């Protein structure tokens, strides 16, 4: 079953449509600006980096606005802005124009992402863990389908194919916003009296988990960036196998997310799930590295097994993210909390490529072992952080000024 209630089914459908569009665009965006528009790759990278950095700061105020004005309203507004900015990319002919349009898109994306997190909490119903697991399953499936569509357009290699991808993504934003109209108007939840406006900035357990999860986010580029380079430079495995491994990773996560995530409900469950993820990464990273020291047939089997272990760890990690990232946040401030959480994760993703390609690849096997130990150490902190968070949550009926 897709969802247990109409609002759940609506939000799952809207998110699925949005992510199909993301998959269409993300796989081909850089090539469009370099091959079709004719901008130098350095300029494209600089424009997207500037936009990303500026956009990071929009999540927190966007989330706070969602708490005060309604998550559905803010998310729909952000999606409308993204639909327009995405279509406007077809008019871009210079570095300056790309920077401006991409910045508008990233600001809207950050604000909309925080509002989306708050909306997920309102829609989640009596079994929020099950709903969030189903939602992530369909989000991942949407990205996969979009990426397949992008691959077909890339194979054609024409301007018309690239334009179709961009307009498809713009249409997905507009359709997602339209679908959200089918959701009820959830009332804004009032904050307890005399509570600080920016409560999240004083919530030390939540900030600590945000930092831990941002650091653990280094695992995502392991499959998409680090492993492909390692296979190419240190093994005899065919390079086309990278696409197969990425597909296996995505498909495994789609198949296992609901099965595992629906069982991770409480803060305690989230802490244990985070520890489990760290231990599984401790196993998968050395297995990937060992592929450089075995015969080609053994390398293929070893790396494929490592992908399964790594994917299982990713599912446990995302389940921990839902249980702790949403569970530590008060209902009336989910927007600002998700804004801070998104900022922490995005910052980690921005630093990840540099860390993985310099430290890990530079040190070879030692780098992989250090990365594995790093993930395990982060995961080990999960249970104690969950206990800390549970102790510092306000008891029912008790209003506090700040938590920490």
């Amino acid at each position: 079953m897709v969802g247990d209630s109409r609002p759940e089914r609506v939000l799952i459908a809207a998110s699925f449509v949005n992510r199909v569009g993301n998959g269409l665009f993300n796989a081909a965006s850089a090539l469009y600006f370099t091959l079709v528009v004719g901008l130098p790759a350095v300029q494209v990278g600089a424009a997207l980096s500037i936009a990303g950095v500026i956009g990071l700061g929009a999540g927190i105020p966007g989330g706070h606005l969602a708490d005060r004005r309604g998550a559905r309203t803010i998310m729909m507004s952000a999606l409308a802005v993204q639909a327009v900015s995405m279509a406007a990319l077809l008019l871009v002919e210079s570095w300056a124009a790309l920077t401006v349009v991409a910045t508008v898109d990233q600001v809207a994306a950050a604000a909309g992402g925080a509002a989306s997190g708050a909306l997920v909490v309102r829609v989640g119903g009596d079994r929020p863990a099950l709903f969030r697991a189903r939602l992530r399953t369909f989000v991942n499936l949407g990205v996969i389908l979009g990426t397949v569509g992008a691959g077909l357009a890339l194979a054609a290699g024409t301007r018309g194919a690239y334009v179709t991808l961009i307009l498809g993504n713009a249409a997905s934003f507009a359709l997602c916003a339209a679908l959200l109209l089918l959701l009820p108007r959830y009332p804004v939840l009032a904050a307890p009296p005399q509570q600080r406006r920016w409560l999240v900035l004083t919530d030390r357990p939540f900030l600590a988990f945000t930092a831990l999860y941002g650091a653990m986010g280094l695992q995502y580029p392991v499959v998409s960036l680090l492993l492909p380079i390692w296979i190419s430079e240190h093994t005899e495995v065919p390079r086309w196998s990278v696409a197969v491994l990425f597909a296996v990773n995505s498909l495994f996560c789609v198949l296992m997310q609901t099965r595992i995530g629906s069982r991770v409900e409480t803060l305690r469950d989230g802490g244990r799930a985070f520890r489990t993820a760290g231990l599984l990464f401790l196993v998968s990273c050395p297995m990937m590295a060992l592929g450089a020291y075995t015969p080609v047939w053994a390398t293929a089997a070893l790396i494929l097994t490592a992908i399964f272990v790594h994917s299982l760890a990713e599912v446990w990690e995302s389940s921990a993210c839902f249980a702790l990232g949403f569970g530590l946040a008060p209902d009336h401030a989910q927007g600002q909390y998700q804004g801070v959480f998104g900022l922490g994760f995005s910052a980690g993703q921005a630093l990840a490529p540099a860390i993985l390609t310099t430290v890990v690849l530079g040190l070879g096997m030692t780098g992989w072992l250090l990365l594995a130990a790093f993930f395990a150490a982060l995961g080990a902190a999960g249970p104690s952080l969950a206990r800390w968070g549970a102790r510092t949550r306000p008891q029912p009926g008790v209003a506090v000024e700040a938590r920490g």
Side-chain angles (χ1 to χ4, degrees):
M1 183 182 294
V2 174
D4 293 331
S5 67
R6 184 171 182 268
E8 290 184 13
R9 291 190 289 271
V10 168
L11 188 55
I12 287 174
S15 300
F16 173 78
V17 168
N18 189 13
R19 292 310 178 94
V20 169
N22 292 164
L24 287 173
F25 178 72
N26 291 341
S29 58
L31 292 178
Y32 170 77
F33 296 120
T34 55
L35 299 180
V36 178
V37 178
L39 295 176
V42 173
Q43 289 188 8
V44 173
L48 297 181
S49 295
I50 292 172
V53 170
I54 296 175
L56 286 177
I60 300 176
H64 181 71
L65 196 60
D67 292 330
R68 303 281 62 85
R69 295 290 182 267
R72 189 189 75 154
T73 299
I74 300 305
M75 186 176 175
M76 288 175 60
S77 300
L79 288 166
V81 172
Q82 286 190 275
V84 173
S85 62
M86 187 58 52
L89 287 176
L90 296 178
L91 304 177
V92 166
E93 295 182 352
S94 67
W95 175 82
L98 175 59
T99 303
V100 171
V101 175
T103 298
V104 171
D105 176 75
Q106 287 301 303
V107 167
S116 174
L119 194 58
V120 166
V121 174
R122 302 303 297 271
V123 173
D126 296 330
R127 298 193 63 188
L130 176 60
F131 169 63
R132 293 190 296 256
R134 287 173 174 168
L135 179 64
R136 182 173 173 84
T137 296
F138 280 89
V139 161
N140 286 336
L141 183 59
V143 172
I144 293 172
L145 294 179
T147 302
V148 171
L152 297 177
L154 290 175
T158 64
R159 178 186 178 87
Y162 284 103
V163 169
T164 299
L165 294 179
I166 293 175
L167 291 178
N169 195 20
S172 76
F173 287 127
L175 180 56
C176 182
L179 286 171
L180 294 183
L181 288 170
L182 301 176
L183 292 176
R185 290 180 175 271
Y186 294 101
V188 173
L189 301 177
Q194 298 182 339
Q195 188 169 47
R196 293 181 180 179
R197 181 180 182 184
W198 296 104
L199 178 62
V200 64
L201 300 181
T202 65
D203 193 337
R204 287 178 289 178
F206 183 83
L207 294 176
F209 180 65
T210 297
L212 284 178
Y213 191 75
M216 188 74 94
L218 263 70
Q219 67 88 5
Y220 287 101
V222 166
V223 174
S224 61
L225 175 67
L226 181 61
L227 183 59
I229 296 175
W230 184 258
I231 288 175
S232 175
E233 295 183 352
H234 298 278
T235 77
E236 299 300 323
V237 175
R239 293 182 180 179
W240 55 260
S241 64
V242 169
V244 175
L245 296 174
F246 188 77
V248 169
N249 170 244
S250 301
L251 183 60
F252 187 86
C253 289
V254 166
L255 294 176
M256 297 301 296
Q257 187 67 57
T258 300
R259 184 186 300 271
I260 292 175
S262 61
R263 304 201 305 265
V264 183
E265 299 179 330
T266 65
L267 295 180
R268 184 180 182 183
D269 294 339
R272 290 178 171 177
F274 203 64
R275 179 178 60 191
T276 299
L279 292 175
L280 289 170
F281 288 135
L282 179 64
V283 174
S284 66
C285 288
M287 290 178 68
M288 294 178 185
L290 285 173
Y293 305 96
T294 56
V296 64
W297 63 268
T299 297
L302 191 64
I303 293 179
L304 183 61
T305 303
I307 285 293
F308 279 111
V309 177
H310 196 90
S311 302
L312 187 61
E314 182 178 330
V315 173
W316 280 107
E317 180 211 26
S318 63
S319 301
C321 161
F322 292 144
L324 292 168
F326 288 111
L328 290 172
D331 288 342
H332 72 274
Q334 282 286 349
Q336 64 169 271
Y337 270 67
Q338 299 314 313
V340 169
F341 195 72
L343 174 61
F345 179 76
S346 297
Q349 292 301 288
L351 294 173
I355 294 172
L356 295 179
T357 56
T358 56
V359 178
V360 179
L361 284 179
L363 295 175
M365 173 60 82
T366 300
W368 280 96
L369 294 177
L370 288 174
L371 183 64
F374 178 67
F375 287 145
L378 292 174
S384 59
L385 188 144
R387 290 192 295 270
W388 181 23
R391 288 196 308 270
T392 53
R393 298 310 90 179
Q395 298 302 312
V398 178
V400 294
E401 182 180 353
R403 297 182 301 181

